[in-house]
Amino acid sequence: QVQLVESGGGLVQAGGSLRLSCAASTVTFSSYTMGWFRQAPGKEREFVAYVRWSGGTTYYADSVKGRFTVARDNAKNTLYLQMNSLKPEDTAIYYCALGRGVVFSTAVSEYDYWGQGTQVTVSS
């Protein structure tokens, strides 16, 4: 079983920055994709960004493109999300996820393992 632990969330004013981390353990798959999703109260969980672990191909939702950057550290088995120019509409619980054998996908249903989430609150 893969275990994912997010950290780095907090309260920040609009225009500020945060960096989220997701530490992965017990990962034995040779091919997988890791992604970030977020969910605000009363809304469905939505895609933010992903990175293919082998090769490092990334993809971003239009709402965060140019502001957020996803990266991976193979040695530390850790996923990062650098969030700049934060807006109040970015407020949500952010989750990291892993999809085994996933080549590319923005769909929640394609991911097999999820972290517990970390709260990001952006004040105006």
Side-chain angles (χ1 to χ4, degrees), residues 8-54:
L11 174 64
V12 64
Q13 292 188 341
S17 299
L18 285 173
R19 188 180 74 164
L20 306 183
S21 299
C22 175
S25 64
T26 323
V27 179
T28 59
F29 312 117
S30 60
S31 178
Y32 56 95
T33 295
M34 292 190 70
W36 289 98
F37 295 78
R38 65 187 183 186
Q39 187 167 24
K43 295 185 177 181
E44 295 183 1
R45 192 167 299 186
E46 66 175 4
F47 168 77
V48 175
Y50 72 63
V51 59
R52 293 185 64 189
W53 212 256
S54 179

Side-chain angles (χ1 to χ4, degrees), residues 6-108:
E6 302 99 331
S7 62
L11 174 64
V12 64
Q13 292 188 341
S17 299
L18 285 173
R19 188 180 74 164
L20 306 183
S21 299
C22 175
S25 64
T26 323
V27 179
T28 59
F29 312 117
S30 60
S31 178
Y32 56 95
T33 295
M34 292 190 70
W36 289 98
F37 295 78
R38 65 187 183 186
Q39 187 167 24
K43 295 185 177 181
E44 295 183 1
R45 192 167 299 186
E46 66 175 4
F47 168 77
V48 175
Y50 72 63
V51 59
R52 293 185 64 189
W53 212 256
S54 179
T57 301
T58 60
Y59 186 76
Y60 300 88
D62 288 341
S63 60
V64 306
K65 195 173 299 181
R67 299 188 297 120
F68 292 9
T69 303
V70 64
R72 78 206 197 285
D73 188 325
N74 291 335
K76 298 180 180 179
N77 223 26
T78 300
L79 179 72
Y80 301 97
L81 183 67
Q82 178 65 48
M83 306 185 295
N84 299 323
S85 302
L86 284 162
K87 305 174 181 179
E89 50 262 45
D90 295 318
T91 295
I93 299 175
Y94 283 71
Y95 299 89
C96 68
L98 183 151
R100 57 188 179 185
V102 174
V103 177
F104 59 87
S105 181
T106 64
V108 170

